[in-house]
Amino acid sequence: IMPPFLANNDGSCKTFSDARWLSDADIGTLGNWADNPAEGDPANIPPDPKELPGLTDANITLDIGTDGTPDYVPTGTPEHPNDDYRCFIINAPVSEDSLVTAFEVFPGEPRMVHHIILFGLPTPEAEAFAGVLDAREPDQAGYTCFGDSGIGVDSTNSDPENNLASKDIPKFVGGWAPGLKVNRFPQGTGIKILQDRKMIMQIHYNLEQFSTGTVPPDRTKMALKTIPVGTPGSIEAYVGPVFNDSFQLPRGLPNQQVEGTNTASYPATIYSMFPHMHTLGTKLRVSVA
């Protein structure tokens, strides 16, 4: 269950990739039918819409159930009984450093897969710590994580094993949410993944509709299209965050504005943006200065 899509297509801003807007005439037709419901002539029923084309040229498949692990059964917590944020360590069969140019996600249980983020582990140290986190929860595949891969720089030293440098922070490779079919990066660009290096697939499960019944298992997969690094005409692209995670919301205010910035220290081309908020956000605006 996703919130309503509040963005518009009035020309005041750039439109969205693969946008599926309804024309005013289509909206009027649906509105008229909603106000005056009636069944038409069954002989005029149009054929079922064709399935949107998938990623036909994928060359890598990632599977949260590889390495002999069973399908994953999400579970909530006392604090968040309807949500499970889980990170799965995946062996990516990449025989050389490559650029991911497109991907498609196949949620095993679409009714509860809310979003997916794929991360590349950049160093042996990051890969080793992912194994540490996985070993701490031996009863289920993967480990608990919120918002990201759970692997970062622990400046407080509260977790001595997480004594990693900034170079060890996993790289964002791709993000998915319901409604996205195939995500192709702009022509000639791709996100770099490393040879023989494991990856992290973070999945957010929402269990609300199963709160009074049995939660089904999930076996989500992801297909990637890659090209070798150095392919003529290709450019390595990066996904960088713009966020603020240190704010406090005063009590009693109906709205509170929070700002975040990210400054590029080098000339850069911005190809796209991907806004995402989870619980309290109501509006979002991004600008370039």
Side-chain angles (χ1 to χ4, degrees):
I1 299 173
M2 296 293 290
F5 189 64
L6 302 179
N8 61 43
N9 192 34
D10 61 6
S12 61
C13 187
K14 292 185 177 180
T15 189
F16 293 80
S17 298
D18 304 316
R20 287 172 270 174
W21 303 104
L22 289 173
S23 66
D24 290 340
D26 290 336
I27 294 174
T29 298
L30 292 172
N32 182 61
W33 175 82
D35 295 334
N36 305 281
E39 182 177 353
D41 185 349
N44 296 327
I45 295 177
D48 291 338
K50 295 181 179 180
E51 179 71 17
L52 292 174
L55 186 60
T56 58
D57 54 351
N59 58 325
I60 292 176
T61 299
L62 308 179
D63 185 341
I64 67 169
T66 53
D67 298 329
T69 56
D71 297 354
Y72 178 68
V73 179
T75 58
T77 64
E79 296 82 9
H80 303 283
N82 291 326
D83 293 285
D84 187 351
Y85 295 84
R86 200 75 180 172
C87 280
F88 301 91
I89 303 174
I90 298 176
N91 288 320
V94 182
S95 58
E96 58 184 329
D97 291 355
S98 303
L99 299 180
V100 176
T101 61
F103 63 84
E104 181 178 5
V105 169
F106 304 92
E109 180 45 77
R111 294 176 294 174
M112 63 184 181
V113 177
H114 176 273
H115 81 240
I116 293 171
I117 302 176
L118 183 66
F119 297 93
L121 293 171
T123 63
E125 290 77 11
E127 193 170 290
F129 187 61
V132 169
L133 295 176
D134 187 62
R136 291 176 182 175
E137 301 182 36
D139 295 334
Q140 282 274 35
Y143 58 91
T144 302
C145 53
F146 179 81
D148 56 25
S149 66
I151 302 172
V153 180
D154 182 13
S155 59
T156 65
N157 292 319
S158 60
D159 191 343
E161 291 180 284
N162 191 8
N163 186 22
L164 304 179
S166 58
K167 66 180 177 62
D168 303 310
I169 297 177
K171 178 187 294 185
F172 186 106
V173 177
W176 175 94
L180 178 63
K181 181 64 176 175
V182 175
N183 190 349
R184 293 187 182 274
F185 294 121
Q187 182 67 31
T189 69
I191 307 296
K192 186 177 180 179
I193 58 176
L194 301 178
Q195 174 184 353
D196 299 326
R197 185 73 67 222
K198 294 182 179 180
M199 306 186 78
I200 299 292
M201 186 185 298
Q202 193 238 31
I203 303 180
H204 171 203
Y205 298 99
N206 183 269
L207 315 177
E208 184 173 358
Q209 60 183 308
F210 302 107
S211 59
T212 59
T214 302
V215 176
D218 176 68
R219 181 73 173 269
T220 289
K221 300 179 181 181
M222 189 172 186
L224 307 180
K225 167 62 178 176
T226 68
I227 59 174
V229 168
T231 297
S234 65
I235 299 174
E236 180 182 355
Y238 301 88
V239 177
V242 180
F243 67 97
N244 181 342
D245 62 354
S246 61
F247 63 89
Q248 293 183 339
L249 299 177
R251 296 180 179 180
L253 294 180
N255 291 287
Q256 175 70 20
Q257 181 172 313
V258 176
E259 296 182 353
T261 61
N262 189 341
T263 302
S265 58
Y266 46 83
T269 298
I270 299 176
Y271 289 96
S272 64
M273 57 165 289
F274 186 85
H276 193 81
M277 293 188 288
H278 269 259
T279 53
L280 299 178
T282 59
K283 296 181 180 178
L284 185 147
R285 176 182 296 273
V286 176
S287 60
V288 179

